């Protein structure tokens, strides 16, 4: 789950604007230098600054692979075409190497090493880009070899930076995969306990039906309806156990204790950390969420409070609200859970991030669990400057009859 805050979007726009200004300045220096050096060559100068323009367009283009890969290949081809054209020209080769071209090719080199999915294509394009950067100064009639040698250092730095960022992305992907797998296994363990609870109730009521079949036959139909409902709930839970295995170290989860456990969580947080309140709408107490939804609600509230403790210490108030979203009495109704904290009176860290922190995996696990039961999860800045974590889950209907 990728969350972009207004601050991160502003930082990205600021960096892009600064880069564009630097590129524009370098291009102007290239044009002035080429015209000054070329003297009377006039229009013959302009095609020599084309590689820098092409590389800049590719760099600033929002295209994604494979379109971006082909764009990089085009920039490499143009750069090499100009280099080979000037090296084989019978006229003086002056003014053909540009600062804008070098900057853009180095940035494309780092981005290629980082982002191109195929290792083979990443290696080939990185090698072509690096050689293009080093070969570009050879267009000069003097000092070309010296500049080429000096450019080997930033070229190596760009390759190293791209490979380092690529390794970080790989580690993050593996960490996200591990978190998602852990959440799936945890959900499977909890669903197993719910299934065991329902099956036990089915067996007990079936035995009771057999025992009273002769003495109180009018009660058999009631027990059969209870068995049918418990069987339907068991099947719903079993569908979510597909492709995951239960481990033996899972804890037993008791369904039906949702609001009591939420009260304990909020009370413990209020006692140790900050003033906190729990608000449960009256209609929610008459609803009957699926067992796996109850467990997910607990985890959302627990994780939300934990992240308030980590990332917003000193918050003057924290509220947990549980209510209904949607209209009607059917399957359109959704159980809405919200954890909101007011902004601290003083910031303990600059540039506070959403619940889960910058680069954290807490939201990844919560999103995986929420989506697994058909819900949605969203974290955003609240109107008062604090943070709000909101989750919505499907709700089947109100309690009818006696549970098993």
């Amino acid at each position: 789950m990728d969350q972009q805050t207004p601050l991160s979007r502003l930082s990205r726009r600021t960096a892009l604007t600064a880069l564009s200004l630097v590129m524009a300045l370098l291009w102007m220096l290239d044009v002035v230098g080429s015209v000054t050096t070329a003297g009377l060559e006039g229009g013959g100068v302009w095609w020599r600054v084309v590689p820098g323009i092409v590389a800049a367009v590719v760099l600033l283009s929002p295209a994604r692979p494979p379109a971006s890969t082909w764009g990089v290949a085009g920039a490499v081809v143009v750069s090499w075409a100009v280099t080979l054209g000037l090296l084989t020209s019978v006229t003086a080769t002056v003014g053909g190497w540009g600062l804008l071209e070098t900057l853009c090719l180095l940035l494309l080199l780092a981005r290629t090493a980082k982002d191109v999915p195929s290792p083979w294509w990443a290696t080939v394009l990185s090698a072509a880009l690096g050689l293009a950067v080093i070969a570009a100064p050879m267009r000069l009639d003097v000092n070309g070899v010296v500049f080429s040698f000096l450019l080997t250092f930033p070229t190596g730095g760009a390759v190293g930076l791209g490979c380092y960022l690529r390794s970080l992305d790989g580690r993050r992907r593996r960490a996200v995969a591990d978190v998602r797998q852990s959440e799936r296994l945890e959900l499977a363990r909890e669903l197993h306990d719910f299934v065991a609870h329902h099956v036990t109730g089915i067996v007990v009521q079936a035995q009771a039906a057999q025992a009273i079949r002769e003495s109180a036959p009018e009660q058999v139909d009631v027990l059969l309806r209870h068995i049918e409902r418990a069987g339907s709930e068991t099947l719903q839970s079993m569908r979510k156990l597909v492709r995951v295995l239960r481990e033996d170290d899972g804890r037993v989860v008791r369904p039906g204790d949702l609001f009591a456990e939420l009260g304990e969580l909020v009370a413990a947080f209020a006692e140790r950390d900050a003033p906190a309140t729990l608000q449960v709408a009256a209609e929610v107490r008459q609803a009957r969420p699926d067992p796996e939804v109850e467990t997910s609600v607990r985890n959302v509230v627990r994780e939300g409070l934990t992240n308030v403790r980590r990332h917003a210490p000193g918050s003057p108030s924290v509220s947990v609200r549980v209510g209904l979203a949607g209209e009607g009495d059917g399957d359109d109704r959704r159980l809405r859970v919200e954890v909101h904290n007011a902004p601290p009176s003083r910031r303990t860290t600059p540039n506070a991030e959403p619940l889960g922190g910058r680069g954290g995996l807490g939201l990844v696990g919560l999103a995986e669990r929420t989506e697994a039961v058909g819900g949605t999860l969203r974290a955003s800045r609240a109107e008062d400057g604090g943070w709000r974590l909101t989750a919505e889950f499907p709700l089947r209907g109100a309690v009818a009859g006696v549970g098993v």
Side-chain angles (χ1 to χ4, degrees):
M1 182 176 179
D2 186 13
Q3 297 287 336
Q4 278 198 345
T5 66
L7 180 62
S8 64
R9 289 194 293 269
L10 178 61
S11 301
R12 180 180 177 86
R13 287 195 298 268
T14 302
L16 185 60
T17 302
L19 176 61
S20 301
L21 292 176
V22 171
M23 291 169 60
L25 177 61
L26 292 180
W27 184 77
M28 292 175 61
L29 293 176
D30 289 343
V31 172
V32 172
S34 297
V35 172
T36 302
T37 306
L40 299 177
E41 286 191 37
V45 173
W46 296 103
W47 69 276
R48 297 179 181 180
V49 296
V50 167
I53 299 176
V54 173
V57 171
V58 173
L59 179 65
L60 298 178
S61 173
R64 298 181 179 274
S68 60
T69 303
W70 287 109
V72 172
V76 171
V77 169
V78 171
S79 177
W80 273 108
V82 173
T83 299
L84 296 177
L86 290 176
L87 288 178
T88 57
S89 175
V90 295
T91 61
T93 57
V94 293
W97 172 47
L99 298 176
L100 175 63
E101 178 185 359
T102 299
L103 173 64
C104 292
L105 289 181
L106 286 173
L107 294 176
L108 286 175
L109 174 58
R111 193 172 74 180
T112 298
K114 172 182 177 292
D115 291 337
V116 173
S118 170
W120 187 87
W121 268 111
T123 302
V124 171
L125 287 177
S126 297
L129 282 167
L131 292 175
V133 172
I134 295 173
M138 299 300 294
R139 305 169 191 169
L140 302 174
D141 57 345
V142 291
N143 297 326
V145 175
V146 175
F147 285 117
S148 294
F149 173 74
L150 293 177
L151 282 176
T152 59
F153 296 101
T155 300
V159 173
L161 176 63
C163 292
Y164 173 70
L165 295 176
R166 189 185 187 95
S167 67
L168 288 183
D169 288 344
R171 273 189 284 179
R172 177 168 178 81
R173 284 193 296 269
R174 290 191 293 271
V176 169
D178 291 342
V179 169
R180 288 177 172 172
Q181 182 65 13
S182 175
E183 289 294 333
R184 292 190 186 103
L185 292 177
E186 180 67 20
L187 182 60
R189 289 192 294 266
E190 294 165 353
L191 288 176
H192 177 278
D193 295 324
F194 289 130
V195 171
H197 169 82
H198 289 313
V199 171
T200 301
I202 291 173
V203 172
V204 170
Q205 292 188 84
Q207 293 173 343
Q210 291 179 346
I212 66 173
R213 181 176 52 188
E214 300 297 337
S215 59
E218 68 280 0
Q219 295 296 325
V220 173
D221 289 340
V222 177
L223 291 174
L224 290 178
R225 285 195 296 270
H226 291 170
I227 291 174
E228 180 184 9
R229 185 176 65 246
S232 299
E233 294 176 352
T234 302
L235 288 176
Q236 292 175 4
S237 297
M238 284 296 295
R239 292 190 185 101
K240 298 179 177 67
L241 280 171
V242 178
R243 296 190 305 271
V244 293
L245 300 175
R246 179 182 187 269
E247 296 179 355
D248 293 334
D249 58 350
R251 60 183 177 85
V252 175
V253 180
R254 297 172 299 168
D257 297 336
L258 174 61
F259 303 121
E261 292 193 14
L262 293 185
E264 294 174 359
L265 286 173
V266 174
F269 180 88
E271 180 180 353
R272 294 179 300 176
D273 298 282
T277 59
L278 171 65
Q279 301 176 19
V280 181
E283 61 268 22
V284 174
R285 297 186 181 276
Q286 302 301 320
R288 183 176 186 175
D290 289 339
E292 57 271 16
V293 169
E294 291 189 357
T295 302
S296 298
V297 169
R298 294 187 193 99
N299 287 330
V300 168
V301 173
R302 183 184 297 113
E303 188 68 21
L305 295 176
T306 299
N307 280 291
V308 172
R309 180 183 301 117
R310 291 176 179 173
H311 304 293
S315 178
S317 64
V318 179
S319 63
V320 178
R321 299 184 179 92
V322 184
L324 294 182
E327 300 178 354
D329 298 327
D331 292 340
D332 291 338
R333 295 197 308 169
R334 297 177 70 82
L335 182 66
R336 179 185 176 89
V337 184
E338 176 184 294
V339 181
H340 168 258
N341 68 281
S345 56
R346 62 181 182 88
R347 294 187 181 274
T348 56
T349 56
N351 301 333
E353 293 294 323
L355 297 175
R358 181 185 296 273
L361 299 178
L363 287 180
V364 175
L366 283 179
E368 183 70 22
R369 171 178 293 277
T370 304
E371 293 171 3
V373 298
T376 58
L377 181 74
R378 184 170 63 91
S380 61
R381 185 178 292 277
E383 297 79 3
D384 60 359
W387 288 101
R388 178 181 289 113
L389 179 66
T390 306
E392 292 188 2
F393 300 92
L395 192 61
R396 305 304 175 190
V399 177
V402 181
V404 294

